[in-house]
Amino acid sequence: MSVERTLHHFPLDPASRQVRLALGEKRVAFSEVQVRYWESPPEFTALNPSGLTPVLVETRHQRTSVICESRAILEHIEEQEPEPALLGREAGERAEARRLMQWFDRKFDNEVNGFLLHEKMEKRLLRMGAPDLGALRQGRDALRNHMGYMESLLQQRDWLAGRRMSLGDFAGAAHLSVIDYFGDVPWKDFPAVRTWYMKLKSRPCFRPILADRWPGLAPAAHYDDLDF
């Protein structure tokens, strides 16, 4: 059955990266449209009135569906392409994977990205001036707290949600990878998290993420180094 998929995304958006990782891990072919979402392009807001990336446009049997934003897209992909299973094969692991996705997309995003990515990325894109040092400090302190929590999980588990890699891992890696693009992740202080990220970073689905670049926003020197 022929299915055509187009993903509208912003390369440095953690939510978009989660979807790209899932599609890549499942080896699902798709084309890409990069979106300057902060400019509210009308052709994109016609697809998703919230103006948020990502959006997946899928055509099968000459019928087109528009699936908006990461959680809806990830659940849709899991239903349509069940192998390899990325929500876990046991009920407990599926529940834990969903909890972790929510953790990163709500708590981590608010406490870490809301400071670090706002100051280092969004201000540049929106031409809002120099980063606020106090906000950067607050974001870095929160990042260390979150990484400490991840370290405690990974000292007891093979992957964040349990014995198998899941969408919970992709959520965490997507968020951390954007922070790492700007060089703010204190890897040496969290060895279990670093080892976990190296395993994910070495997977084929991660290669497009490591190739991401955005004009005027250069990545840290180690960003695409597999042995960092």
Side-chain angles (χ1 to χ4, degrees), residues 1-6 28-30 56-61 63 76 80-81:
M1 177 174 58
S2 176
V3 182
E4 294 182 2
R5 296 181 175 94
T6 300
V28 173
F30 65 99
L56 181 67
V57 179
E58 184 179 273
T59 300
R60 64 175 71 216
H61 299 311
R63 182 174 180 176
H76 175 78
Q80 298 296 323
E81 306 288 342

Side-chain angles (χ1 to χ4, degrees), residues 18 21-22 25 86 165-175 200 205:
Q18 291 181 57
L21 287 170
E25 186 68 20
L86 293 179
M165 185 182 67
S166 74
L167 291 176
D169 296 288
F170 284 170
H175 283 272
L200 285 165
C205 68

Side-chain angles (χ1 to χ4, degrees), residues 3-9 16 19-25 27-33 56-57 208:
V3 182
E4 294 182 2
R5 296 181 175 94
T6 300
L7 183 68
H8 299 253
H9 72 100
S16 296
V19 172
R20 292 165 65 199
L21 287 170
L23 288 169
E25 186 68 20
R27 300 187 179 184
V28 173
F30 65 99
S31 58
E32 301 179 45
V33 176
L56 181 67
V57 179

Side-chain angles (χ1 to χ4, degrees), residues 96 99-100 103-104 146-162 192-193:
E96 182 68 349
R99 183 188 74 83
L100 289 165
W103 176 283
F104 286 107
H146 279 270
M147 292 188 72
Y149 175 61
M150 295 173 68
E151 186 83 2
S152 69
L153 292 179
L154 291 165
Q155 287 172 351
Q156 304 171 55
R157 304 172 177 180
D158 296 325
W159 299 92
L160 285 177
V193 180

Side-chain angles (χ1 to χ4, degrees), residues 17 27 35 38 65 77 88 109 121 123-124 171-172 187 218 222:
R17 286 185 166 199
R27 300 187 179 184
V35 179
W38 60 95
S65 301
I77 294 169
D109 186 62
M121 180 177 72
K123 278 190 170 181
R124 291 284 295 277
W187 296 113
H222 69 271

